[in-house]
Amino acid sequence: MAATPSFASRDPLSPAFWDERFARSFTPWDRGGVPQALRDFVLASPRPLSTLIPGCGSAYEVVYLSDAGWDVTAIDFAPEAVARAKALAGPWAERVVEADFFAWQPPRQLELIYECAFLCALPLAMRPQVAARWAALLPPGARLAGFFYFDQAVKGPPFGIDRAGLEALLAPYFDCIEDAQVSDSIPIFAGKERWMVWRRR
Ligand SMILES: C[S@@+](CC[C@H](N)C(=O)[O-])C[C@H]1O[C@@H](n2cnc3c(N)ncnc32)[C@H](O)[C@@H]1O
């Protein structure tokens, strides 16, 4: 396996950390496309949902969801990520927005937040803030759906969580309504992630 290159920025709370990695094409978290579990979720949904993708990175999902008739906004605070996502989004580029998840205000009511390698990108101390923000952005009945990374390693990103930790984090706001194996994980997440859907209480 190739050695991890050395980077100037070591703080994942800073956009510079992610910018540097996107600029040098060191993006081992990048799935390179739309995961099957999201496709299945979209196909099973009775109607399109107004969706937010926080920390969107390349945001392959924007084209997929938009073409399916879904209203989606993808946000990222790293300019390099936004530039890449906008280029990939083509006609849907305006749906990619440079913004900090903790400050961004939705222009209209959200019905879904799609989680993909955002929670695990942030240091552990941020988790309560992430969960509280998810909860604040979603009305009762709305859903938080995506991939949750389970691991015990102290070093990250990605920073894993354990089941009890995730339950404790989300139980004040959400009920878990789906918890499934993932069939098409990329190596960094293989065997350690679950597709989960949580409903806002
Ligand atoms: C591990 S990457 C995941 C990217 C994408 N979701 C994916 O699965 O390929 C984490 C992303 O979150 C972004 N990010 C981290 N903190 C953020 C914040 N406070 N607001 C918006 N984006 C943030 C980073 O810039 C980075 O693009």
Side-chain angles (χ1 to χ4, degrees), residues 41-42 45 47-54 65-66 68-74 95 104-114 137-139 141-145:
F41 181 86
V42 167
S45 179
R47 59 182 178 81
L49 301 175
S50 174
T51 302
L52 173 69
I53 309 176
L65 291 173
S66 298
W70 289 41
D71 169 31
V72 54
T73 303
R95 295 184 163 197
W104 180 80
Q105 295 296 333
R108 51 199 160 268
Q109 187 68 263
L110 294 173
E111 298 171 295
L112 174 71
I113 292 179
Y114 173 62
L137 287 167
L138 294 174
R143 277 167 291 168
L144 166 69

PDB file of all heavy atoms in Angstrom, residues 41-42 45 47-54 65-66 68-74 95 104-114 137-139 141-145:
ATOM      1  N   PHE A  41     -32.701   3.480  -1.692  1.00  0.00           N
ATOM      2  CA  PHE A  41     -33.527   4.374  -0.878  1.00  0.00           C
ATOM      3  C   PHE A  41     -34.363   5.287  -1.782  1.00  0.00           C
ATOM      4  O   PHE A  41     -35.561   5.496  -1.548  1.00  0.00           O
ATOM      5  CB  PHE A  41     -32.613   5.209   0.027  1.00  0.00           C
ATOM      6  CG  PHE A  41     -33.325   6.165   0.937  1.00  0.00           C
ATOM      7  CD1 PHE A  41     -33.794   5.751   2.178  1.00  0.00           C
ATOM      8  CD2 PHE A  41     -33.523   7.490   0.557  1.00  0.00           C
ATOM      9  CE1 PHE A  41     -34.452   6.649   3.020  1.00  0.00           C
ATOM     10  CE2 PHE A  41     -34.177   8.386   1.392  1.00  0.00           C
ATOM     11  CZ  PHE A  41     -34.635   7.961   2.629  1.00  0.00           C
ATOM     12  N   VAL A  42     -33.750   5.824  -2.814  1.00  0.00           N
ATOM     13  CA  VAL A  42     -34.447   6.731  -3.733  1.00  0.00           C
ATOM     14  C   VAL A  42     -35.556   5.967  -4.476  1.00  0.00           C
ATOM     15  O   VAL A  42     -36.684   6.441  -4.597  1.00  0.00           O
ATOM     16  CB  VAL A  42     -33.440   7.374  -4.715  1.00  0.00           C
ATOM     17  CG1 VAL A  42     -34.148   8.067  -5.865  1.00  0.00           C
ATOM     18  CG2 VAL A  42     -32.542   8.358  -3.956  1.00  0.00           C
ATOM     19  N   SER A  45     -38.509   5.385  -2.263  1.00  0.00           N
ATOM     20  CA  SER A  45     -39.201   6.545  -1.703  1.00  0.00           C
ATOM     21  C   SER A  45     -40.479   6.834  -2.491  1.00  0.00           C
ATOM     22  O   SER A  45     -40.447   6.913  -3.719  1.00  0.00           O
ATOM     23  CB  SER A  45     -38.269   7.763  -1.753  1.00  0.00           C
ATOM     24  OG  SER A  45     -38.934   8.890  -1.233  1.00  0.00           O
ATOM     25  N   ARG A  47     -41.949   9.542  -2.868  1.00  0.00           N
ATOM     26  CA  ARG A  47     -41.874  10.830  -3.569  1.00  0.00           C
ATOM     27  C   ARG A  47     -40.488  11.422  -3.359  1.00  0.00           C
ATOM     28  O   ARG A  47     -39.773  11.010  -2.435  1.00  0.00           O
ATOM     29  CB  ARG A  47     -42.954  11.782  -3.063  1.00  0.00           C
ATOM     30  CG  ARG A  47     -42.847  12.062  -1.594  1.00  0.00           C
ATOM     31  CD  ARG A  47     -43.947  12.968  -1.072  1.00  0.00           C
ATOM     32  NE  ARG A  47     -43.779  13.140   0.362  1.00  0.00           N
ATOM     33  CZ  ARG A  47     -42.936  13.983   0.935  1.00  0.00           C
ATOM     34  NH1 ARG A  47     -42.185  14.758   0.178  1.00  0.00           N
ATOM     35  NH2 ARG A  47     -42.825  14.060   2.242  1.00  0.00           N
ATOM     36  N   PRO A  48     -40.114  12.394  -4.189  1.00  0.00           N
ATOM     37  CA  PRO A  48     -38.812  13.047  -3.993  1.00  0.00           C
ATOM     38  C   PRO A  48     -38.778  13.798  -2.672  1.00  0.00           C
ATOM     39  O   PRO A  48     -39.792  14.344  -2.228  1.00  0.00           O
ATOM     40  CB  PRO A  48     -38.738  14.021  -5.172  1.00  0.00           C
ATOM     41  CG  PRO A  48     -39.776  13.595  -6.143  1.00  0.00           C
ATOM     42  CD  PRO A  48     -40.850  12.923  -5.352  1.00  0.00           C
ATOM     43  N   LEU A  49     -37.620  13.834  -2.055  1.00  0.00           N
ATOM     44  CA  LEU A  49     -37.472  14.517  -0.767  1.00  0.00           C
ATOM     45  C   LEU A  49     -36.498  15.678  -0.908  1.00  0.00           C
ATOM     46  O   LEU A  49     -35.486  15.578  -1.623  1.00  0.00           O
ATOM     47  CB  LEU A  49     -36.942  13.528   0.285  1.00  0.00           C
ATOM     48  CG  LEU A  49     -37.812  12.298   0.546  1.00  0.00           C
ATOM     49  CD1 LEU A  49     -37.115  11.347   1.525  1.00  0.00           C
ATOM     50  CD2 LEU A  49     -39.181  12.706   1.088  1.00  0.00           C
ATOM     51  N   SER A  50     -36.787  16.728  -0.199  1.00  0.00           N
ATOM     52  CA  SER A  50     -35.889  17.881  -0.169  1.00  0.00           C
ATOM     53  C   SER A  50     -34.692  17.511   0.709  1.00  0.00           C
ATOM     54  O   SER A  50     -34.830  17.265   1.904  1.00  0.00           O
ATOM     55  CB  SER A  50     -36.655  19.074   0.399  1.00  0.00           C
ATOM     56  OG  SER A  50     -35.782  20.142   0.571  1.00  0.00           O
ATOM     57  N   THR A  51     -33.517  17.474   0.090  1.00  0.00           N
ATOM     58  CA  THR A  51     -32.363  16.795   0.694  1.00  0.00           C
ATOM     59  C   THR A  51     -31.165  17.715   0.856  1.00  0.00           C
ATOM     60  O   THR A  51     -30.861  18.522  -0.016  1.00  0.00           O
ATOM     61  CB  THR A  51     -31.963  15.602  -0.219  1.00  0.00           C
ATOM     62  OG1 THR A  51     -33.084  14.734  -0.346  1.00  0.00           O
ATOM     63  CG2 THR A  51     -30.783  14.827   0.336  1.00  0.00           C
ATOM     64  N   LEU A  52     -30.484  17.528   1.983  1.00  0.00           N
ATOM     65  CA  LEU A  52     -29.213  18.207   2.225  1.00  0.00           C
ATOM     66  C   LEU A  52     -28.100  17.171   2.302  1.00  0.00           C
ATOM     67  O   LEU A  52     -28.238  16.143   2.975  1.00  0.00           O
ATOM     68  CB  LEU A  52     -29.263  18.984   3.550  1.00  0.00           C
ATOM     69  CG  LEU A  52     -27.924  19.603   3.981  1.00  0.00           C
ATOM     70  CD1 LEU A  52     -27.519  20.743   3.051  1.00  0.00           C
ATOM     71  CD2 LEU A  52     -27.987  20.101   5.428  1.00  0.00           C
ATOM     72  N   ILE A  53     -26.974  17.484   1.645  1.00  0.00           N
ATOM     73  CA  ILE A  53     -25.770  16.651   1.780  1.00  0.00           C
ATOM     74  C   ILE A  53     -24.694  17.504   2.453  1.00  0.00           C
ATOM     75  O   ILE A  53     -24.034  18.317   1.801  1.00  0.00           O
ATOM     76  CB  ILE A  53     -25.255  16.155   0.415  1.00  0.00           C
ATOM     77  CG1 ILE A  53     -26.382  15.500  -0.376  1.00  0.00           C
ATOM     78  CG2 ILE A  53     -24.091  15.191   0.619  1.00  0.00           C
ATOM     79  CD1 ILE A  53     -25.975  15.063  -1.783  1.00  0.00           C
ATOM     80  N   PRO A  54     -24.507  17.336   3.753  1.00  0.00           N
ATOM     81  CA  PRO A  54     -23.447  18.111   4.438  1.00  0.00           C
ATOM     82  C   PRO A  54     -22.072  17.510   4.181  1.00  0.00           C
ATOM     83  O   PRO A  54     -21.911  16.283   4.147  1.00  0.00           O
ATOM     84  CB  PRO A  54     -23.809  17.955   5.926  1.00  0.00           C
ATOM     85  CG  PRO A  54     -25.170  17.336   5.984  1.00  0.00           C
ATOM     86  CD  PRO A  54     -25.318  16.568   4.703  1.00  0.00           C
ATOM     87  N   LEU A  65     -29.543  12.534  -7.735  1.00  0.00           N
ATOM     88  CA  LEU A  65     -30.793  12.946  -7.088  1.00  0.00           C
ATOM     89  C   LEU A  65     -31.540  13.969  -7.946  1.00  0.00           C
ATOM     90  O   LEU A  65     -32.761  13.898  -8.081  1.00  0.00           O
ATOM     91  CB  LEU A  65     -30.503  13.525  -5.696  1.00  0.00           C
ATOM     92  CG  LEU A  65     -30.010  12.508  -4.656  1.00  0.00           C
ATOM     93  CD1 LEU A  65     -29.581  13.232  -3.373  1.00  0.00           C
ATOM     94  CD2 LEU A  65     -31.088  11.475  -4.326  1.00  0.00           C
ATOM     95  N   SER A  66     -30.802  14.894  -8.522  1.00  0.00           N
ATOM     96  CA  SER A  66     -31.450  15.929  -9.344  1.00  0.00           C
ATOM     97  C   SER A  66     -32.121  15.292 -10.566  1.00  0.00           C
ATOM     98  O   SER A  66     -33.269  15.631 -10.906  1.00  0.00           O
ATOM     99  CB  SER A  66     -30.425  16.973  -9.782  1.00  0.00           C
ATOM    100  OG  SER A  66     -29.873  17.635  -8.674  1.00  0.00           O
ATOM    101  N   ALA A  68     -33.278  12.459 -10.724  1.00  0.00           N
ATOM    102  CA  ALA A  68     -34.441  11.692 -10.246  1.00  0.00           C
ATOM    103  C   ALA A  68     -35.579  12.625  -9.805  1.00  0.00           C
ATOM    104  O   ALA A  68     -36.610  12.156  -9.322  1.00  0.00           O
ATOM    105  CB  ALA A  68     -34.022  10.774  -9.095  1.00  0.00           C
ATOM    106  N   GLY A  69     -35.355  13.931  -9.937  1.00  0.00           N
ATOM    107  CA  GLY A  69     -36.419  14.881  -9.598  1.00  0.00           C
ATOM    108  C   GLY A  69     -36.388  15.351  -8.158  1.00  0.00           C
ATOM    109  O   GLY A  69     -37.338  15.969  -7.681  1.00  0.00           O
ATOM    110  N   TRP A  70     -35.277  15.042  -7.449  1.00  0.00           N
ATOM    111  CA  TRP A  70     -35.184  15.449  -6.047  1.00  0.00           C
ATOM    112  C   TRP A  70     -34.566  16.845  -5.953  1.00  0.00           C
ATOM    113  O   TRP A  70     -33.679  17.205  -6.740  1.00  0.00           O
ATOM    114  CB  TRP A  70     -34.334  14.448  -5.252  1.00  0.00           C
ATOM    115  CG  TRP A  70     -35.014  13.130  -5.033  1.00  0.00           C
ATOM    116  CD1 TRP A  70     -35.760  12.432  -5.944  1.00  0.00           C
ATOM    117  CD2 TRP A  70     -35.005  12.337  -3.831  1.00  0.00           C
ATOM    118  NE1 TRP A  70     -36.213  11.254  -5.385  1.00  0.00           N
ATOM    119  CE2 TRP A  70     -35.768  11.177  -4.094  1.00  0.00           C
ATOM    120  CE3 TRP A  70     -34.417  12.503  -2.569  1.00  0.00           C
ATOM    121  CZ2 TRP A  70     -35.966  10.192  -3.135  1.00  0.00           C
ATOM    122  CZ3 TRP A  70     -34.616  11.513  -1.611  1.00  0.00           C
ATOM    123  CH2 TRP A  70     -35.388  10.368  -1.888  1.00  0.00           C
ATOM    124  N   ASP A  71     -35.052  17.600  -4.966  1.00  0.00           N
ATOM    125  CA  ASP A  71     -34.483  18.911  -4.661  1.00  0.00           C
ATOM    126  C   ASP A  71     -33.324  18.668  -3.692  1.00  0.00           C
ATOM    127  O   ASP A  71     -33.554  18.223  -2.567  1.00  0.00           O
ATOM    128  CB  ASP A  71     -35.575  19.783  -4.028  1.00  0.00           C
ATOM    129  CG  ASP A  71     -35.009  21.054  -3.439  1.00  0.00           C
ATOM    130  OD1 ASP A  71     -34.003  21.558  -3.965  1.00  0.00           O
ATOM    131  OD2 ASP A  71     -35.562  21.529  -2.431  1.00  0.00           O
ATOM    132  N   VAL A  72     -32.112  18.919  -4.136  1.00  0.00           N
ATOM    133  CA  VAL A  72     -30.948  18.610  -3.289  1.00  0.00           C
ATOM    134  C   VAL A  72     -30.019  19.815  -3.212  1.00  0.00           C
ATOM    135  O   VAL A  72     -29.813  20.517  -4.202  1.00  0.00           O
ATOM    136  CB  VAL A  72     -30.204  17.352  -3.820  1.00  0.00           C
ATOM    137  CG1 VAL A  72     -29.820  17.495  -5.274  1.00  0.00           C
ATOM    138  CG2 VAL A  72     -28.978  17.040  -2.966  1.00  0.00           C
ATOM    139  N   THR A  73     -29.486  20.032  -2.014  1.00  0.00           N
ATOM    140  CA  THR A  73     -28.425  21.018  -1.826  1.00  0.00           C
ATOM    141  C   THR A  73     -27.243  20.291  -1.198  1.00  0.00           C
ATOM    142  O   THR A  73     -27.405  19.574  -0.206  1.00  0.00           O
ATOM    143  CB  THR A  73     -28.865  22.155  -0.879  1.00  0.00           C
ATOM    144  OG1 THR A  73     -30.046  22.756  -1.402  1.00  0.00           O
ATOM    145  CG2 THR A  73     -27.766  23.212  -0.752  1.00  0.00           C
ATOM    146  N   ALA A  74     -26.069  20.480  -1.796  1.00  0.00           N
ATOM    147  CA  ALA A  74     -24.849  19.856  -1.283  1.00  0.00           C
ATOM    148  C   ALA A  74     -23.935  20.970  -0.790  1.00  0.00           C
ATOM    149  O   ALA A  74     -23.669  21.916  -1.533  1.00  0.00           O
ATOM    150  CB  ALA A  74     -24.169  19.056  -2.384  1.00  0.00           C
ATOM    151  N   ARG A  95     -26.539  23.829  -7.312  1.00  0.00           N
ATOM    152  CA  ARG A  95     -27.016  23.100  -6.125  1.00  0.00           C
ATOM    153  C   ARG A  95     -25.874  22.743  -5.170  1.00  0.00           C
ATOM    154  O   ARG A  95     -26.110  22.174  -4.108  1.00  0.00           O
ATOM    155  CB  ARG A  95     -27.769  21.843  -6.557  1.00  0.00           C
ATOM    156  CG  ARG A  95     -29.044  22.183  -7.315  1.00  0.00           C
ATOM    157  CD  ARG A  95     -29.868  20.975  -7.674  1.00  0.00           C
ATOM    158  NE  ARG A  95     -31.227  21.396  -8.017  1.00  0.00           N
ATOM    159  CZ  ARG A  95     -32.276  20.592  -8.073  1.00  0.00           C
ATOM    160  NH1 ARG A  95     -32.128  19.312  -7.830  1.00  0.00           N
ATOM    161  NH2 ARG A  95     -33.470  21.060  -8.371  1.00  0.00           N
ATOM    162  N   TRP A 104     -24.934  27.176   7.955  1.00  0.00           N
ATOM    163  CA  TRP A 104     -25.825  27.221   6.787  1.00  0.00           C
ATOM    164  C   TRP A 104     -27.302  27.168   7.205  1.00  0.00           C
ATOM    165  O   TRP A 104     -27.671  26.412   8.098  1.00  0.00           O
ATOM    166  CB  TRP A 104     -25.496  26.039   5.871  1.00  0.00           C
ATOM    167  CG  TRP A 104     -26.323  25.952   4.637  1.00  0.00           C
ATOM    168  CD1 TRP A 104     -26.166  26.645   3.481  1.00  0.00           C
ATOM    169  CD2 TRP A 104     -27.450  25.087   4.435  1.00  0.00           C
ATOM    170  NE1 TRP A 104     -27.124  26.272   2.568  1.00  0.00           N
ATOM    171  CE2 TRP A 104     -27.927  25.324   3.129  1.00  0.00           C
ATOM    172  CE3 TRP A 104     -28.115  24.141   5.233  1.00  0.00           C
ATOM    173  CZ2 TRP A 104     -29.016  24.656   2.595  1.00  0.00           C
ATOM    174  CZ3 TRP A 104     -29.210  23.472   4.703  1.00  0.00           C
ATOM    175  CH2 TRP A 104     -29.647  23.727   3.401  1.00  0.00           C
ATOM    176  N   GLN A 105     -28.095  27.984   6.549  1.00  0.00           N
ATOM    177  CA  GLN A 105     -29.537  27.995   6.822  1.00  0.00           C
ATOM    178  C   GLN A 105     -30.287  27.501   5.591  1.00  0.00           C
ATOM    179  O   GLN A 105     -30.065  28.015   4.492  1.00  0.00           O
ATOM    180  CB  GLN A 105     -30.009  29.423   7.144  1.00  0.00           C
ATOM    181  CG  GLN A 105     -29.418  30.001   8.422  1.00  0.00           C
ATOM    182  CD  GLN A 105     -29.833  29.230   9.668  1.00  0.00           C
ATOM    183  OE1 GLN A 105     -30.897  28.607   9.702  1.00  0.00           O
ATOM    184  NE2 GLN A 105     -28.978  29.256  10.687  1.00  0.00           N
ATOM    185  N   PRO A 106     -31.161  26.532   5.744  1.00  0.00           N
ATOM    186  CA  PRO A 106     -31.886  26.006   4.569  1.00  0.00           C
ATOM    187  C   PRO A 106     -32.869  27.037   4.022  1.00  0.00           C
ATOM    188  O   PRO A 106     -33.576  27.679   4.796  1.00  0.00           O
ATOM    189  CB  PRO A 106     -32.630  24.789   5.132  1.00  0.00           C
ATOM    190  CG  PRO A 106     -32.689  24.988   6.599  1.00  0.00           C
ATOM    191  CD  PRO A 106     -31.535  25.864   6.988  1.00  0.00           C
ATOM    192  N   PRO A 107     -32.938  27.186   2.692  1.00  0.00           N
ATOM    193  CA  PRO A 107     -33.908  28.120   2.115  1.00  0.00           C
ATOM    194  C   PRO A 107     -35.339  27.608   2.249  1.00  0.00           C
ATOM    195  O   PRO A 107     -36.279  28.371   2.192  1.00  0.00           O
ATOM    196  CB  PRO A 107     -33.489  28.204   0.641  1.00  0.00           C
ATOM    197  CG  PRO A 107     -32.674  26.980   0.385  1.00  0.00           C
ATOM    198  CD  PRO A 107     -32.077  26.551   1.688  1.00  0.00           C
ATOM    199  N   ARG A 108     -35.501  26.294   2.368  1.00  0.00           N
ATOM    200  CA  ARG A 108     -36.833  25.718   2.603  1.00  0.00           C
ATOM    201  C   ARG A 108     -36.696  24.479   3.476  1.00  0.00           C
ATOM    202  O   ARG A 108     -35.585  23.994   3.688  1.00  0.00           O
ATOM    203  CB  ARG A 108     -37.562  25.397   1.303  1.00  0.00           C
ATOM    204  CG  ARG A 108     -36.767  24.606   0.349  1.00  0.00           C
ATOM    205  CD  ARG A 108     -37.270  24.669  -1.087  1.00  0.00           C
ATOM    206  NE  ARG A 108     -36.142  24.260  -1.927  1.00  0.00           N
ATOM    207  CZ  ARG A 108     -35.281  25.122  -2.447  1.00  0.00           C
ATOM    208  NH1 ARG A 108     -35.433  26.417  -2.263  1.00  0.00           N
ATOM    209  NH2 ARG A 108     -34.252  24.693  -3.151  1.00  0.00           N
ATOM    210  N   GLN A 109     -37.841  23.994   3.947  1.00  0.00           N
ATOM    211  CA  GLN A 109     -37.843  22.879   4.895  1.00  0.00           C
ATOM    212  C   GLN A 109     -37.182  21.628   4.304  1.00  0.00           C
ATOM    213  O   GLN A 109     -37.517  21.221   3.186  1.00  0.00           O
ATOM    214  CB  GLN A 109     -39.305  22.561   5.260  1.00  0.00           C
ATOM    215  CG  GLN A 109     -39.456  21.544   6.354  1.00  0.00           C
ATOM    216  CD  GLN A 109     -38.975  22.094   7.703  1.00  0.00           C
ATOM    217  OE1 GLN A 109     -37.839  21.852   8.102  1.00  0.00           O
ATOM    218  NE2 GLN A 109     -39.813  22.818   8.383  1.00  0.00           N
ATOM    219  N   LEU A 110     -36.281  21.033   5.055  1.00  0.00           N
ATOM    220  CA  LEU A 110     -35.638  19.793   4.617  1.00  0.00           C
ATOM    221  C   LEU A 110     -36.480  18.587   5.017  1.00  0.00           C
ATOM    222  O   LEU A 110     -37.187  18.621   6.031  1.00  0.00           O
ATOM    223  CB  LEU A 110     -34.262  19.666   5.270  1.00  0.00           C
ATOM    224  CG  LEU A 110     -33.217  20.700   4.865  1.00  0.00           C
ATOM    225  CD1 LEU A 110     -31.970  20.537   5.733  1.00  0.00           C
ATOM    226  CD2 LEU A 110     -32.857  20.553   3.390  1.00  0.00           C
ATOM    227  N   GLU A 111     -36.349  17.531   4.218  1.00  0.00           N
ATOM    228  CA  GLU A 111     -37.028  16.265   4.560  1.00  0.00           C
ATOM    229  C   GLU A 111     -36.030  15.132   4.755  1.00  0.00           C
ATOM    230  O   GLU A 111     -36.369  14.072   5.258  1.00  0.00           O
ATOM    231  CB  GLU A 111     -37.996  15.892   3.433  1.00  0.00           C
ATOM    232  CG  GLU A 111     -39.087  16.920   3.231  1.00  0.00           C
ATOM    233  CD  GLU A 111     -39.902  16.667   1.978  1.00  0.00           C
ATOM    234  OE1 GLU A 111     -39.331  16.764   0.862  1.00  0.00           O
ATOM    235  OE2 GLU A 111     -41.086  16.350   2.104  1.00  0.00           O
ATOM    236  N   LEU A 112     -34.796  15.363   4.307  1.00  0.00           N
ATOM    237  CA  LEU A 112     -33.774  14.314   4.402  1.00  0.00           C
ATOM    238  C   LEU A 112     -32.391  14.951   4.519  1.00  0.00           C
ATOM    239  O   LEU A 112     -32.086  15.912   3.810  1.00  0.00           O
ATOM    240  CB  LEU A 112     -33.803  13.442   3.134  1.00  0.00           C
ATOM    241  CG  LEU A 112     -32.705  12.387   3.012  1.00  0.00           C
ATOM    242  CD1 LEU A 112     -32.913  11.250   4.017  1.00  0.00           C
ATOM    243  CD2 LEU A 112     -32.652  11.806   1.596  1.00  0.00           C
ATOM    244  N   ILE A 113     -31.594  14.408   5.427  1.00  0.00           N
ATOM    245  CA  ILE A 113     -30.156  14.701   5.414  1.00  0.00           C
ATOM    246  C   ILE A 113     -29.454  13.397   5.071  1.00  0.00           C
ATOM    247  O   ILE A 113     -29.723  12.347   5.672  1.00  0.00           O
ATOM    248  CB  ILE A 113     -29.675  15.256   6.769  1.00  0.00           C
ATOM    249  CG1 ILE A 113     -30.270  16.660   7.001  1.00  0.00           C
ATOM    250  CG2 ILE A 113     -28.147  15.309   6.817  1.00  0.00           C
ATOM    251  CD1 ILE A 113     -29.882  17.296   8.323  1.00  0.00           C
ATOM    252  N   TYR A 114     -28.585  13.481   4.076  1.00  0.00           N
ATOM    253  CA  TYR A 114     -27.828  12.304   3.639  1.00  0.00           C
ATOM    254  C   TYR A 114     -26.435  12.362   4.259  1.00  0.00           C
ATOM    255  O   TYR A 114     -25.682  13.300   4.015  1.00  0.00           O
ATOM    256  CB  TYR A 114     -27.734  12.311   2.108  1.00  0.00           C
ATOM    257  CG  TYR A 114     -26.833  11.249   1.532  1.00  0.00           C
ATOM    258  CD1 TYR A 114     -27.096   9.896   1.718  1.00  0.00           C
ATOM    259  CD2 TYR A 114     -25.716  11.600   0.775  1.00  0.00           C
ATOM    260  CE1 TYR A 114     -26.260   8.927   1.180  1.00  0.00           C
ATOM    261  CE2 TYR A 114     -24.891  10.628   0.218  1.00  0.00           C
ATOM    262  CZ  TYR A 114     -25.171   9.299   0.427  1.00  0.00           C
ATOM    263  OH  TYR A 114     -24.347   8.336  -0.108  1.00  0.00           O
ATOM    264  N   LEU A 137     -32.137  20.868  11.992  1.00  0.00           N
ATOM    265  CA  LEU A 137     -32.464  21.085  10.575  1.00  0.00           C
ATOM    266  C   LEU A 137     -33.644  20.235  10.093  1.00  0.00           C
ATOM    267  O   LEU A 137     -34.168  20.488   9.009  1.00  0.00           O
ATOM    268  CB  LEU A 137     -31.234  20.786   9.705  1.00  0.00           C
ATOM    269  CG  LEU A 137     -30.102  21.821   9.765  1.00  0.00           C
ATOM    270  CD1 LEU A 137     -28.825  21.267   9.120  1.00  0.00           C
ATOM    271  CD2 LEU A 137     -30.515  23.121   9.067  1.00  0.00           C
ATOM    272  N   LEU A 138     -33.999  19.218  10.859  1.00  0.00           N
ATOM    273  CA  LEU A 138     -35.036  18.290  10.401  1.00  0.00           C
ATOM    274  C   LEU A 138     -36.295  18.393  11.275  1.00  0.00           C
ATOM    275  O   LEU A 138     -36.202  18.284  12.495  1.00  0.00           O
ATOM    276  CB  LEU A 138     -34.512  16.854  10.438  1.00  0.00           C
ATOM    277  CG  LEU A 138     -33.382  16.530   9.459  1.00  0.00           C
ATOM    278  CD1 LEU A 138     -32.844  15.119   9.703  1.00  0.00           C
ATOM    279  CD2 LEU A 138     -33.863  16.668   8.007  1.00  0.00           C
ATOM    280  N   PRO A 139     -37.454  18.534  10.652  1.00  0.00           N
ATOM    281  CA  PRO A 139     -38.703  18.532  11.424  1.00  0.00           C
ATOM    282  C   PRO A 139     -39.093  17.103  11.801  1.00  0.00           C
ATOM    283  O   PRO A 139     -38.562  16.144  11.222  1.00  0.00           O
ATOM    284  CB  PRO A 139     -39.706  19.133  10.433  1.00  0.00           C
ATOM    285  CG  PRO A 139     -39.189  18.732   9.097  1.00  0.00           C
ATOM    286  CD  PRO A 139     -37.688  18.721   9.204  1.00  0.00           C
ATOM    287  N   GLY A 141     -40.507  13.552  11.809  1.00  0.00           N
ATOM    288  CA  GLY A 141     -40.857  12.673  10.690  1.00  0.00           C
ATOM    289  C   GLY A 141     -39.816  12.665   9.587  1.00  0.00           C
ATOM    290  O   GLY A 141     -39.775  11.739   8.777  1.00  0.00           O
ATOM    291  N   ALA A 142     -39.003  13.716   9.514  1.00  0.00           N
ATOM    292  CA  ALA A 142     -37.958  13.761   8.483  1.00  0.00           C
ATOM    293  C   ALA A 142     -36.854  12.754   8.830  1.00  0.00           C
ATOM    294  O   ALA A 142     -36.771  12.273   9.957  1.00  0.00           O
ATOM    295  CB  ALA A 142     -37.380  15.164   8.386  1.00  0.00           C
ATOM    296  N   ARG A 143     -36.001  12.485   7.845  1.00  0.00           N
ATOM    297  CA  ARG A 143     -35.027  11.404   8.054  1.00  0.00           C
ATOM    298  C   ARG A 143     -33.570  11.817   7.860  1.00  0.00           C
ATOM    299  O   ARG A 143     -33.271  12.728   7.081  1.00  0.00           O
ATOM    300  CB  ARG A 143     -35.381  10.235   7.138  1.00  0.00           C
ATOM    301  CG  ARG A 143     -36.468   9.382   7.769  1.00  0.00           C
ATOM    302  CD  ARG A 143     -37.087   8.422   6.817  1.00  0.00           C
ATOM    303  NE  ARG A 143     -37.885   9.090   5.803  1.00  0.00           N
ATOM    304  CZ  ARG A 143     -38.350   8.505   4.708  1.00  0.00           C
ATOM    305  NH1 ARG A 143     -38.095   7.241   4.505  1.00  0.00           N
ATOM    306  NH2 ARG A 143     -39.065   9.177   3.842  1.00  0.00           N
ATOM    307  N   LEU A 144     -32.768  11.114   8.605  1.00  0.00           N
ATOM    308  CA  LEU A 144     -31.309  11.171   8.473  1.00  0.00           C
ATOM    309  C   LEU A 144     -30.925   9.787   7.954  1.00  0.00           C
ATOM    310  O   LEU A 144     -31.161   8.785   8.643  1.00  0.00           O
ATOM    311  CB  LEU A 144     -30.692  11.422   9.852  1.00  0.00           C
ATOM    312  CG  LEU A 144     -29.196  11.185   9.997  1.00  0.00           C
ATOM    313  CD1 LEU A 144     -28.406  12.232   9.214  1.00  0.00           C
ATOM    314  CD2 LEU A 144     -28.800  11.239  11.482  1.00  0.00           C
ATOM    315  N   ALA A 145     -30.381   9.721   6.745  1.00  0.00           N
ATOM    316  CA  ALA A 145     -30.073   8.411   6.157  1.00  0.00           C
ATOM    317  C   ALA A 145     -28.668   8.429   5.587  1.00  0.00           C
ATOM    318  O   ALA A 145     -28.233   9.431   5.013  1.00  0.00           O
ATOM    319  CB  ALA A 145     -31.072   8.085   5.054  1.00  0.00           C
TER     320      ALA A 145
END
